[in-house]
Amino acid sequence: MKTAPAPYQPPVIPADDATAIRTEGLRKVYRRGQDGLVALEGLNLTVGRGEFFGLLGTNGAGKSTTIGMLTTLVTPTAGSAWVAGREVGADPVGVKSRIGVVPQANTLDRALSVRDNLAFRGRYFGMSASAARRRALELLEQFALADKAGARAHQLSGGQARRVMIGRALMHLPEVLFLDEPTAGVDPQAREDLWRIIGSLHEAGQTVVLTTHHLDEAEALCRRLAVIDHGRLLACDTPEAIKATSGAQTVITVRYDAAAHAVGDAVRRIPGGPHDVAVDGPTVRVRTTRPDGVLGHLLREAGAAGLTVRDAATTPPSLQTAFLTLTGRDYQP
């Protein structure tokens, strides 16, 4: 008589270990002949268990390289990393058994049904066939995809495919869930659905590490953020603290009907005036921590210079302006 398989138990890190991820001096250089491209330079990070942590930066900033090293897919040039209680370099198999990864690209097996995409992943992690099928159906129900269980990957919308990939990554109850640009290429409604699903996972205690170049996504979902630019860590704190401590400024932008260098010169002469004034043809952009009265001055100077104002906008301190202050340039996804 066959003995029933023991219930599947996911690997866990010790209960007294409050750290899900730690890196020390993590560095990556991609060699190109005699030259080297520094993708990441000396990254030091700590992510707590149960935390929703974000890596924010433009394309090419080093976010995906960081995720690649933490998930064992990219070998560091220098430094060390520990994920879910295991050192990445010394125990990559142990790390893989404790993490779930949702990459940018759609990696669903087109030859399998949605249910089998999940069940086969469970089998890979040692689940019995019955436990894997049961877990797959539970996740499809949770993500409102039960009616798609028998569908093939090519029959799914972009948002549905993303939900299936998240479900697949959760099959073995990972300690840490990595999401690399999870809403890339999906429509606004699907994006909101994914936000809701990811947020509910975190509320249930899941440690989540998210990479994104969407500022609104980072601010809406992440409890703490690391801002990375050109491979370097520029800030690491809550979104509110980053805005408060980065010296993020109010940005006042006015566009005139002709070149506005005279207006820019006049604004620079305001006593105790704006921190920075930039003129680009008919557009004047002022960055300042003391915005009171600046817009009025820009409008008055337009009249003195014989210019007509086409449009004007004031942007209060935000992650956008924090990024501009930290990097010295506009945020371009």
Side-chain angles (χ1 to χ4, degrees):
M1 182 175 179
K2 282 186 73 174
T3 303
Y8 174 69
Q9 296 293 332
V12 296
I13 60 177
D16 61 350
D17 188 352
T19 301
I21 297 172
R22 180 163 62 92
T23 72
E24 292 181 359
L26 208 57
R27 187 171 191 262
K28 181 61 182 179
V29 180
Y30 291 101
R31 297 295 176 188
R32 295 179 177 175
Q34 298 298 317
D35 301 321
L37 172 67
V38 180
L40 197 69
E41 184 64 85
L43 181 68
N44 296 310
L45 279 180
T46 300
V47 178
R49 292 184 67 184
E51 187 170 12
F52 200 129
F53 191 86
L55 296 174
L56 176 65
T58 58
N59 288 332
K63 308 185 304 299
S64 292
T65 295
T66 301
I67 292 292
M69 288 190 282
L70 295 177
T71 58
T72 77
L73 298 177
V74 176
T75 302
T77 303
S80 300
W82 292 261
V83 178
R86 298 292 185 271
E87 186 175 0
V88 176
D91 187 11
V93 175
V95 170
K96 288 177 182 177
S97 71
R98 290 161 169 79
I99 63 174
V101 183
V102 180
Q104 292 184 40
N106 184 339
T107 56
L108 295 175
D109 191 324
R110 295 173 62 87
L112 298 178
S113 68
V114 167
R115 179 186 54 249
D116 286 346
N117 263 278
L118 272 64
F120 279 31
R121 178 60 60 91
R123 296 285 283 157
Y124 176 81
F125 281 99
M127 299 173 73
S128 69
S130 59
R133 286 195 299 271
R134 185 167 57 249
R135 173 73 173 152
L137 292 174
E138 288 172 356
L139 286 165
L140 292 177
E141 187 72 36
Q142 179 181 345
F143 293 162
L145 289 166
D147 62 331
K148 299 292 183 182
R152 294 294 193 269
H154 70 274
Q155 297 173 308
L156 303 175
S157 68
Q160 289 170 339
R162 290 286 179 180
R163 280 184 276 159
V164 173
M165 289 171 65
I166 294 173
R168 184 180 63 179
L170 292 170
M171 276 295 295
H172 61 299
L173 301 174
E175 284 289 328
V176 184
L177 177 64
F178 290 92
L179 303 172
D180 194 5
E181 305 282 359
T183 63
V186 301
D187 61 71
Q189 182 58 57
R191 191 166 177 243
E192 287 189 14
D193 291 341
L194 287 167
W195 282 15
R196 176 181 51 78
I197 288 169
I198 296 167
S200 66
L201 292 172
H202 173 249
E203 289 172 4
Q206 178 70 58
T207 304
V208 181
V209 177
L210 168 79
T211 73
T212 182
H213 58 254
H214 294 296
L215 293 163
D216 59 339
E217 185 163 274
E219 193 156 12
L221 294 175
C222 301
R223 301 300 180 266
R224 206 156 57 95
L225 286 171
V227 180
I228 299 176
D229 190 50
H230 294 305
R232 293 182 179 275
L233 179 66
L234 302 184
C236 184
D237 214 323
T238 65
E240 293 75 18
I242 288 174
K243 288 185 283 186
T245 61
S246 66
Q249 301 161 317
T250 296
V251 179
I252 302 166
T253 305
V254 179
R255 185 170 62 88
Y256 304 94
D257 62 342
H261 296 284
V263 174
D265 292 340
V267 174
R268 291 186 184 98
R269 293 194 292 268
I270 298 175
H275 176 72
D276 180 69
V277 179
V279 181
D280 183 11
T283 301
V284 177
R285 185 182 68 190
V286 178
R287 293 188 296 157
T288 179
T289 55
R290 297 180 296 277
D292 291 349
V294 173
L295 180 58
H297 200 89
L298 286 164
L299 299 179
R300 288 193 298 275
E301 289 299 329
L307 299 174
T308 299
V309 175
R310 294 299 189 194
D311 57 58
T314 298
T315 306
S318 62
L319 279 181
Q320 173 82 27
T321 55
F323 187 90
L324 187 150
T325 302
L326 288 166
T327 66
R329 58 190 175 84
D330 282 321
Y331 188 89
Q332 298 292 333

